[in-house]
Amino acid sequence: SVMAKNEDKLETAKEKVIIYLQQAATLTEEIDVRNKAYAELGKIYSSDEKFSTALRQFQKVDNDYLRLRGNLLFQMGYVEYRLNHTDKALDYLTDFINSFPHDDNRLQGMKIIGEILMQQEKYKDALYYYEKIVKLEEHKQVESLRKLVYLYQQNNQLRKAIETSSKIQKPSNDDRRRLARIFLADGAIAEALLVMKKSIQNETDVNEQLVDIFFVANVNFANENYREALENYKDILLLSNEYENRQDKFPDLNWKQIAANLIISSYETGSRSQAEKYEKQFADLIEDDVDLEAELLLVRGIYYSPLDKDEAEDIFDEIIDDFPETSFAERAYLQKTILQIQHQNFVDAKKTLNEFIKKYPQSSLINNAKLKLGSINFSDSNYKSALENYQYVIKNDREGELAIQAIENFALTCKAMGEWLVAIEAYQLLQERVDSPQIKPKTLFEIAYCYYMDKKYDKAVEIFTQVQSQIVDPELQAETIFWIGDSYFQQQEYDAAIEELLQLVYNYSEYAQWFVNANIKIATAYENLEQFDKARKFYQNVIKRFGTNNRWGKEAQKLLDKLPN
C-alpha cells in the first residue's frame, strides 16, 4: 500500500515535470532552453519505453545541438534502434562511438551496433565491434563471449572461435554443442566427439540427449568408424525404447537415417544377421524409398563380395536392373567390375565397364571406369587403348586422385612402350598437379630414370644428383647412386663411375642387388681401363659374399675367368 502510494506520487511528479518541460519548450524564445526541454522530454519518454513519443521529442532538437552531446546522441540512436529504424540507429550510434570515446554509454552503444550488424548478417563488421567489446569489458560477459564465438565461426576463423569458447566459464550444453560443431568444421574430429560426449553426460532432457547422441553417431558414421557408430545408434534405440510412437515423440531425430545407418553399420562390421533384423524392424521406413532400397542392396552386395561371388554379383545385377535411375546402379556396375577383376575375369570386366560407359555417359563415375579400363588394357598389353583411357581421366578429372593415378599409369605405359620422352612429360605433369613432399622425389627419380633409358646421360645425372638428397628410403638412395654411376660408365667416364659406385660397395652393402651390380660395374670399368688386378678384386667381392652356387656368384666367376692373367 505504501509502495503503491509512493509510485502514484512519483508518477504525478513525472507528469508535472513533463508539463513544465512542454511549456518551457513551447513558450521560450531561447533556442538553448528549448533544445534542453525537448531533450529531457525525449529521455523521460524513452525511460518509459514510449519510443515513438520519445523520437518525436528528440526530432524537435536542433541537429547541431544533438550531435555535440554524447548522452543525447546515444539516446537518439537507442530510440531509433528500439523502433527498428536500424540504418538511422547505426548512423547516430556510430557517430556517438567515434565522437565520444570515453562516454559511459560507449560499451552499450557498441553492443547495439554489433546486434544490428548481426541482424543484417554483416558478420565481418559485427566481429570488429565485438572484439572491441570483449576487450573493454572489465569482467568478460558470457553473452559477449558467445556472440564473439558465433562471429568467429561465421567468419570462418575457427581457431579463434575455439580459443574464445574456452574462456567461457561454466559452459552450458549449448556452448558445448556449438564448440563441437566448430571443432568438426576445423577437422578436429576427436575433440568434437569429446566435447559432445560431455554434453550428453550433463544433459537431463531426453530429447536433447538423443539429438546429441545422433550427432556423435553421424560423425562416427561419416568417418567410417562403423563400430562406434553402431553402438551410438543402438544407444538411441535403447534410450527411446520406453516411449510409445518414439518417431512421433522425438521428431528432431531423422529416423530413416538412423534405420539406414544401423543396417549399413551392421553390414560394415560383418554382422549380417543384425543388419537383417534392423531391415525387418524398420521396413516401414525403408519401403517405397527407391534410393534407400538401392543403397542397402549395394551395401549387402559389397558385404557378400569377399564371401560369395555369385551372390554378390546377383545383388549388383538386381540393382542395375531394378534401380537404373539411381546413382547406386552406377556404383553397382563398378562394384561388379571390381569383383570380376579380383577373380581375373578381365573379359567380363571390360564388357561390364563398356556397358556402364554407354549407359551412363554423364556419370560422375566415368573417370573411375576409364581408369579401370586403362589398367585392364595395360595388363593385356593393349597399350594404345590404355593410353586413350588414361588421357581421358587426365583431361576430365582436373583436381582429383584419379587423375594422379592416371598420370602415373600413363607414364608407366609409356615406359613399357619405350616412349621415354612422353613418359617424362607425364611425370612433369604429375609434378605440376601434386605439390607433395612424398611424391616429388619419387617423380623426379622416375624422370631421371627415363632420361637414362633414353640415353640422355648428362640429364639423368643432373636430376639423379638433384633428387639424391631428397630421398628418404635408403634402398632407393642406393639405386640412385647406381644409376648415376652407370650413366658415367655409359659415357666411358670410368673414373667418375668408379668413384660414384664405391659408395654403394662400402655404404649400402646390405642391399644385395645393388651391391652386386656396383661391384661388377666397377670391375668392368677397371677392365676397360686395363687395370685387371683391381677388376679381379671386385669380382672376388661378389664371389666371396655369395659363393659360386649362387647366380650372382656364378656370373662373377665367369667374368673373373675371362680376365687376362
Side-chain angles (χ1 to χ4, degrees):
S1 177
V2 174
M3 286 181 66
K5 286 178 181 178
N6 288 336
E7 286 176 5
D8 289 342
K9 287 179 181 179
L10 287 170
E11 193 62 34
T12 302
K14 186 187 291 183
E15 289 171 1
K16 287 180 179 178
V17 170
I18 289 171
I19 292 168
Y20 293 145
L21 288 169
Q22 286 173 337
Q23 290 174 344
T26 55
L27 297 176
T28 184
E29 293 184 0
E30 294 185 29
I31 296 173
D32 228 25
V33 173
R34 187 185 67 212
N35 284 332
K36 286 179 182 178
Y38 282 130
E40 290 303 319
L41 281 168
K43 290 177 186 177
I44 291 170
Y45 286 123
S46 177
S47 66
D48 287 344
E49 298 193 359
K50 297 176 181 178
F51 298 113
S52 293
T53 308
L55 180 59
R56 285 196 295 273
Q57 307 309 313
F58 285 133
Q59 285 174 337
K60 294 173 185 176
V61 178
D62 288 346
N63 191 58
D64 290 343
Y65 181 90
L66 184 139
R67 296 276 182 180
L68 291 172
R69 284 157 180 80
N71 184 262
L72 190 52
L73 196 55
F74 169 77
Q75 286 290 334
M76 190 67 172
Y78 177 73
V79 168
E80 295 281 21
Y81 166 67
R82 293 302 299 267
L83 290 169
N84 205 31
H85 303 158
T86 52
D87 288 339
K88 288 182 178 180
L90 280 175
D91 175 43
Y92 286 117
L93 291 171
T94 305
D95 191 2
F96 163 69
I97 294 295
N98 293 333
S99 302
F100 301 95
H102 304 295
D103 192 284
D104 290 343
N105 289 315
R106 182 172 182 242
L107 197 58
Q108 189 180 352
M110 292 175 71
K111 287 184 178 181
I112 295 171
I113 292 172
E115 284 293 325
I116 293 171
L117 291 170
M118 286 174 69
Q119 290 169 17
Q120 295 176 345
E121 297 185 1
K122 295 177 179 177
Y123 298 120
K124 187 175 181 180
D125 295 334
L127 177 59
Y128 169 81
Y129 282 98
Y130 265 98
E131 283 183 327
K132 288 182 175 295
I133 289 165
V134 169
K135 282 182 183 178
L136 287 170
E137 283 180 338
E138 190 173 338
H139 302 290
K140 306 305 178 194
Q141 299 298 314
V142 171
E143 285 311 309
S144 296
L145 288 170
R146 283 173 178 153
K147 285 173 182 172
L148 187 55
V149 170
Y150 173 77
L151 289 168
Y152 278 133
Q153 186 181 12
Q154 292 301 314
N155 284 280
N156 203 34
Q157 297 184 35
L158 302 180
R159 286 284 104 193
K160 286 188 175 181
I162 291 166
E163 182 185 340
T164 305
S165 185
S166 68
K167 294 175 183 176
I168 298 175
Q169 296 182 354
K170 297 181 181 179
S172 67
N173 279 343
D174 282 340
D175 293 323
R176 294 189 182 99
R177 291 178 186 113
R178 180 177 294 282
L179 180 58
R181 284 169 172 78
I182 294 168
F183 271 130
L184 190 62
D186 196 42
I189 295 165
E191 290 84 349
L193 292 174
L194 192 65
V195 170
M196 192 59 89
K197 284 174 184 176
K198 191 148 190 179
S199 176
I200 294 167
Q201 292 167 0
N202 287 277
E203 187 55 70
T204 55
D205 182 275
V206 176
N207 184 63
E208 294 290 346
Q209 196 174 34
L210 285 168
V211 170
D212 289 349
I213 296 170
F214 185 57
F215 172 90
V216 170
N218 290 344
V219 171
N220 279 320
F221 185 87
N223 287 279
E224 300 184 1
N225 189 352
Y226 296 113
R227 201 165 297 282
E228 285 293 324
L230 184 58
E231 293 307 312
N232 299 144
Y233 291 124
K234 283 181 178 178
D235 286 343
I236 292 173
L237 297 186
L238 187 63
L239 197 58
S240 62
N241 195 43
E242 61 184 273
Y243 298 92
E244 290 185 20
N245 302 319
R246 58 184 167 192
Q247 293 176 35
D248 296 328
K249 175 71 177 174
F250 303 108
D252 292 335
L253 299 177
N254 185 332
W255 286 98
K256 185 178 284 190
Q257 185 181 353
I258 290 170
N261 291 358
L262 271 165
I263 296 163
I264 293 168
S265 297
S266 296
Y267 276 124
E268 291 287 353
T269 53
S271 181
R272 177 174 60 83
S273 58
Q274 186 172 237
E276 290 171 348
K277 180 188 82 172
Y278 289 129
E279 284 177 319
K280 288 178 183 176
Q281 183 178 346
F282 295 105
D284 60 322
L285 293 174
I286 297 168
E287 63 186 12
D288 300 326
D289 188 326
V290 174
D291 279 315
L292 185 53
E293 285 186 62
E295 181 180 11
L296 296 179
L297 270 174
L298 183 70
V299 173
R300 188 187 304 167
I302 293 169
Y303 167 82
Y304 274 110
S305 288
L307 305 174
D308 188 332
K309 173 187 175 293
D310 293 335
E311 177 68 18
E313 198 159 348
D314 285 345
I315 292 170
F316 297 139
D317 283 335
E318 181 183 350
I319 299 168
I320 291 165
D321 294 337
D322 296 349
F323 302 93
E325 301 304 317
T326 70
S327 63
F328 299 101
E330 300 169 28
R331 291 169 62 185
Y333 267 109
L334 288 191
Q335 289 296 330
K336 183 179 176 180
T337 303
I338 291 168
L339 194 62
Q340 290 166 334
I341 291 171
Q342 286 172 344
H343 288 84
Q344 299 186 345
N345 299 332
F346 298 117
V347 174
D348 289 343
K350 190 184 290 189
K351 181 181 175 183
T352 302
L353 286 169
N354 283 319
E355 183 183 318
F356 164 69
I357 292 167
K358 184 178 179 181
K359 192 173 181 180
Y360 299 103
Q362 303 303 318
S363 172
S364 61
L365 299 174
I366 287 291
N367 287 324
N368 205 313
K370 290 280 190 180
L371 186 64
K372 286 181 172 55
L373 262 180
S375 298
I376 292 170
N377 282 312
F378 178 83
S379 66
D380 286 342
S381 300
N382 189 353
Y383 298 135
K384 183 180 177 183
S385 293
L387 289 177
E388 287 172 359
N389 283 293
Y390 294 142
Q391 281 176 319
Y392 180 95
V393 180
I394 294 165
K395 181 181 177 181
N396 292 282
D397 188 54
R398 297 296 302 172
E399 304 296 335
E401 287 294 319
L402 295 178
I404 295 168
Q405 279 183 260
I407 294 168
E408 290 177 329
N409 291 356
F410 185 94
L412 186 65
T413 306
C414 290
K415 286 163 70 174
M417 297 170 69
E419 296 286 348
W420 303 108
L421 294 181
V422 182
I424 288 168
E425 288 178 11
Y427 284 123
Q428 287 171 337
L429 178 60
L430 184 62
Q431 289 222 302
E432 290 173 16
R433 292 278 187 96
V434 185
D435 184 18
S436 167
Q438 287 77 36
I439 291 177
K440 189 173 181 180
K442 178 64 177 161
T443 308
L444 276 174
F445 175 90
E446 295 293 351
I447 290 171
Y449 180 77
C450 289
Y451 276 121
Y452 168 85
M453 292 300 294
D454 201 44
K455 299 183 179 180
K456 293 182 171 56
Y457 299 116
D458 285 340
K459 193 68 177 174
V461 169
E462 178 191 334
I463 299 176
F464 274 129
T465 304
Q466 177 188 342
V467 77
Q468 195 172 3
S469 61
Q470 301 174 34
I471 294 174
V472 177
D473 179 11
E475 187 167 6
L476 191 57
Q477 288 175 349
E479 185 178 352
T480 302
I481 293 168
F482 178 80
W483 296 123
I484 293 171
D486 198 41
S487 293
Y488 286 129
F489 182 92
Q490 299 301 331
Q491 295 177 94
Q492 299 182 8
E493 297 179 28
Y494 299 123
D495 289 330
I498 292 165
E499 183 181 351
E500 191 71 29
L501 293 167
L502 281 172
Q503 295 180 62
L504 272 177
V505 174
Y506 296 118
N507 299 326
Y508 294 89
S509 60
E510 66 270 31
Y511 301 108
Q513 176 186 348
W514 303 114
F515 174 81
V516 170
N517 287 341
N519 272 284
I520 289 177
K521 191 67 67 172
I522 290 170
T524 309
Y526 276 126
E527 274 193 69
N528 291 337
L529 292 169
E530 297 186 356
Q531 298 182 31
F532 302 117
D533 287 342
K534 289 183 178 179
R536 189 173 286 106
K537 174 186 173 184
F538 287 94
Y539 287 134
Q540 287 171 342
N541 278 350
V542 178
I543 297 165
K544 184 177 179 181
R545 179 165 173 178
F546 297 101
T548 53
N549 292 326
N550 175 279
R551 63 184 177 88
W552 287 329
K554 282 180 183 177
E555 179 65 21
Q557 185 65 58
K558 190 186 297 182
L559 293 168
L560 178 63
D561 291 342
K562 290 181 180 178
L563 282 177
N565 294 322

